[in-house]
Amino acid sequence: MDDVYNSYRITQTAATLLNAMGVLKNGNMDDANRAVLAKMKERFSGQKAERLFIYNPDAIALWLYQKYTHLFEKAISSSNMALPVLSVMPSVTPVCFASMYSGVLPEVHGIRKYEKPVLTVRTFFDEMISSGKKVAIVCTDGDSISRIFLERDADYYFYKTVDEVNQKARELILKDEHDAIVVYNGNYDSTMHKFGPEAEISLNQITHNAETYHAFVELIREKWQKHNVLFGFLPDHGCHEIDGECGSHGLDMPQDMNIVHFYGFLPRK
């Protein structure tokens, strides 16, 4: 089983989120994930989502979820489904997030190594904005999401620290002015590179991510009751240990390619 690759694809994410909001995907995008849409249809009694809240933690591998499931308890309890998903090669952050939000493979969107050019292909953000939706991107300044999705008519909020990012995300939830909010946290990735994927200090960051997501969801449950809300915990790639007990990723191996995505659905009251 060590060489098994997931069949759900990270490139399905963009069309899944667009379909959930009643927005057409462009023709280049991969198809939507039918399992997610079926669960949404059930939860929303056939209606579409009116709000999206997407939490993007970095480098959370499926094997971490399988081995340390207890660390994910808050993410599990907050969500309605957990899906095994396959990332893309090379399994590095800008390539993977470009594929997640463009819905196409690296050879199509053009980012094929660790670099952060502004994407010129149509993305989830472009289609949302073109349909009149208001989108916010909240992340640490200089990270991949803060660079590759620039030059769109989105609201960008970039900060030095993860804590500042999450505080701003909470403020945006309270204001309830955006149709979609995308939040990035890179704390586990940066820690595991330095100390290793299974170091205690690294595993604590997974717990922090799960608890952060849970806190966002609880705030949404309180403040967004008048909307059908789809929310998700969607990492970009996995990781593995290398010599010197440090962590890395970027290889075509299940540890780096297989990830887990959580989705939740909050019907309006």
Side-chain angles (χ1 to χ4, degrees), residues 87-93 95-96 237-238 249-252 256-257:
S87 195
V88 292
M89 273 294 294
S91 47
V92 294
T93 303
V95 178
C96 299
H237 56 69
H249 52 85
L251 301 182
D252 189 355
D256 288 3
M257 297 289 286

Side-chain angles (χ1 to χ4, degrees), residues 147-159:
R147 293 295 178 261
I148 66 176
F149 301 117
L150 289 173
E151 302 179 12
R152 274 91 181 165
D153 190 18
D155 290 332
Y156 298 104
Y157 302 96
F158 303 155
Y159 298 94

Side-chain angles (χ1 to χ4, degrees), residues 4-13 56-66 72 82-88 91-92 96-97 99-100 188 233-239 249 253-263:
V4 171
Y5 287 82
N6 297 333
S7 57
Y8 288 138
R9 303 174 298 278
I10 197 171
T11 49
Q12 296 178 281
T13 308
N56 291 135
D58 201 316
I60 307 293
L62 177 63
W63 69 266
L64 288 166
Y65 172 62
Q66 294 169 324
F72 293 81
L83 299 177
V85 174
L86 182 68
S87 195
V88 292
S91 47
V92 294
C96 299
F97 277 128
S99 292
M100 179 186 294
Y188 174 73
F233 178 108
L234 312 182
D236 50 346
H237 56 69
C239 59
H249 52 85
M253 59 193 298
Q255 293 93 326
D256 288 3
M257 297 289 286
N258 286 340
I259 52 181
V260 59
H261 282 185
F262 296 92
Y263 285 95

Side-chain angles (χ1 to χ4, degrees), residues 87-199:
S87 195
V88 292
M89 273 294 294
S91 47
V92 294
T93 303
V95 178
C96 299
F97 277 128
S99 292
M100 179 186 294
Y101 285 113
S102 70
V104 297
L105 294 170
E107 52 265 36
V108 178
H109 63 63
I111 303 180
R112 306 187 68 173
K113 59 183 179 180
Y114 194 90
E115 60 181 3
K116 304 173 186 178
V118 176
L119 282 173
T120 58
V121 299
R122 299 283 293 184
T123 67
F124 158 81
F125 302 105
D126 297 287
E127 304 307 335
M128 286 283 285
I129 293 165
S130 292
S131 70
K133 307 294 186 183
K134 190 174 182 181
V135 178
I137 298 176
V138 195
C139 55
T140 38
D141 192 21
D143 68 46
S144 297
I145 288 182
S146 77
R147 293 295 178 261
I148 66 176
F149 301 117
L150 289 173
E151 302 179 12
R152 274 91 181 165
D153 190 18
D155 290 332
Y156 298 104
Y157 302 96
F158 303 155
Y159 298 94
K160 290 183 179 180
T161 68
V162 167
D163 287 343
E164 290 173 296
V165 167
N166 294 338
Q167 178 57 39
K168 186 61 181 182
R170 286 188 285 270
E171 292 175 10
L172 294 180
I173 292 171
L174 292 174
K175 288 182 178 180
D176 190 16
E177 296 175 348
H178 292 87
D179 299 288
I181 301 173
V182 172
V183 180
Y184 168 81
N185 279 184
N187 49 297
Y188 174 73
D189 181 73
S190 59
T191 305
M192 73 86 189
H193 275 297
K194 186 174 181 180
F195 299 103
E198 297 181 85

Side-chain angles (χ1 to χ4, degrees), residues 17-87:
L17 299 179
L18 289 170
N19 188 302
M21 291 291 289
V23 177
L24 293 176
K25 74 181 185 75
N26 69 61
N28 292 325
M29 286 179 173
D30 197 355
D31 293 332
N33 188 305
R34 291 182 294 178
V36 176
L37 297 182
K39 176 59 71 172
M40 184 192 76
K41 184 177 181 180
E42 172 192 317
R43 294 283 294 166
F44 295 164
S45 301
Q47 298 176 330
K48 294 292 186 179
E50 297 155 320
R51 290 286 188 270
L52 294 176
F53 184 89
I54 304 303
Y55 180 65
N56 291 135
D58 201 316
I60 307 293
L62 177 63
W63 69 266
L64 288 166
Y65 172 62
Q66 294 169 324
K67 186 173 182 178
Y68 299 102
T69 310
H70 64 284
L71 302 180
F72 293 81
E73 287 178 358
K74 290 292 187 180
I76 296 168
S77 66
S78 301
S79 305
N80 297 109
M81 59 196 310
L83 299 177
V85 174
L86 182 68
S87 195

